[in-house]
Amino acid sequence: MRKLSVSFEPHIWVNVHSGMEALFMPYDHKNTTPEGIPSKIMKSMLEKLNHFHLKDHCLIGSGGGSVGYLAHGTATDYMYDIARVPMAYTFEIYGDLKASSRDCFKMFNPIDIASFNSVLNDWSAAFFQMFTIGVQQMNGLQPKAIGSSFDNWVSIDDYLNGYLMHRKSRYGKKMEVLDLGLQEIRTYFRLFLLSSVLLLFMFCSRISKSTRPIVSAMAL
């Protein structure tokens, strides 16, 4: 993500989550929002999206001041503070607060077609509106993004193609795309095996505890 942000200097960053309905702006690692005109412009856009497309259902504010805990090292804070993306957000697009804590899927995902279509339509409209408003509100935001030229922009496809073809191994040898893919597959497979072993160990430990005989105290 750092390489992408440097390659074409985006004006808007959105980190999409689920678990509740909220429109968050920086910061996640502290209970405050940025100061000055940029912060006001960012919040103004969120308020418009919330009112016109999301029925005023969403909580608006900083992630760190709204969810009940601080999150350090998040992508949204990095994009805003380090990569200098002028509009950096975290959108929480769905959450069933009535769902049982044991039913994670229902808590984080719409489970019927009507709810699914409603979430899809509302948030699609909000995203398209955000792209339109964002272009109109760039004045007064961070200078790096304003000074960027369309001539310097590259497509994501071109960037990824160049990245994969020129990426080097730890030994400095250039790797073809196929070799790189196989290496990453091996890495993911090792991680999968490791997680499977850990899950099996936890499962066996739980079974051994549940089947352990209970020895009652006997009077002598």
Side-chain angles (χ1 to χ4, degrees):
M1 298 310 301
R2 182 187 67 82
K3 290 179 178 291
L4 284 175
S5 67
V6 171
S7 67
F8 65 94
E9 298 178 354
H11 293 76
I12 298 175
W13 158 269
V14 182
N15 194 2
V16 180
H17 288 232
S18 66
M20 61 187 301
E21 292 180 298
L23 298 166
F24 292 144
M25 55 189 290
Y27 291 101
D28 295 329
H29 69 282
K30 53 185 176 181
N31 185 9
T32 185
T33 57
E35 298 180 353
I37 295 177
S39 179
K40 294 180 180 179
I41 293 177
M42 293 171 65
K43 186 174 182 180
S44 174
M45 185 165 73
L46 294 183
E47 290 173 343
K48 291 178 181 179
L49 296 178
N50 192 29
H51 180 70
F52 290 108
H53 297 288
L54 305 170
K55 307 177 182 66
D56 292 318
H57 287 169
C58 292
L59 182 66
I60 294 178
S62 70
S66 303
V67 298
Y69 60 89
L70 301 180
H72 297 272
T74 65
T76 297
D77 283 359
Y78 177 88
M79 287 295 172
Y80 186 78
D81 266 350
I82 308 301
R84 309 299 289 176
V85 178
M87 293 184 179
Y89 302 111
T90 298
F91 287 0
E92 296 272 0
I93 65 173
Y94 180 83
D96 187 349
L97 302 181
K98 297 180 181 179
S100 170
S101 59
R102 297 182 177 180
D103 192 347
C104 289
F105 188 85
K106 184 177 180 181
M107 184 183 299
F108 292 94
N109 301 274
I111 60 174
D112 60 81
I113 189 63
S115 299
F116 176 83
N117 287 333
S118 177
V119 171
L120 183 63
N121 293 334
D122 290 346
W123 284 96
S124 295
F127 269 93
F128 284 120
Q129 184 66 28
M130 177 183 63
F131 298 145
T132 302
I133 297 176
V135 174
Q136 300 170 354
Q137 295 187 338
M138 288 307 300
N139 292 330
L141 294 178
Q142 297 182 20
K144 177 180 176 180
I146 297 174
S148 62
S149 169
F150 285 100
D151 295 335
N152 296 328
W153 288 23
V154 297
S155 71
I156 293 179
D157 290 337
D158 290 341
Y159 168 79
L160 290 177
N161 288 335
Y163 173 65
L164 289 175
M165 290 304 297
H166 294 94
R167 184 176 175 183
K168 296 182 179 180
S169 70
R170 69 183 68 180
Y171 304 106
K173 182 180 178 181
K174 289 187 177 180
M175 303 176 62
E176 298 295 336
V177 175
L178 180 59
D179 294 335
L180 175 63
L182 291 175
Q183 182 181 15
E184 294 187 345
I185 289 174
R186 294 189 190 100
T187 301
Y188 294 142
F189 184 70
R190 293 189 187 102
L191 293 174
F192 170 75
L193 288 178
L194 177 61
S195 61
S196 299
V197 171
L198 292 175
L199 288 174
L200 182 61
F201 175 76
M202 295 171 60
F203 180 72
C204 292
S205 299
R206 186 171 183 179
I207 291 179
S208 63
K209 290 180 180 180
S210 61
T211 57
R212 184 179 301 169
I214 300 176
V215 179
S216 59
M218 298 179 62
L220 298 177

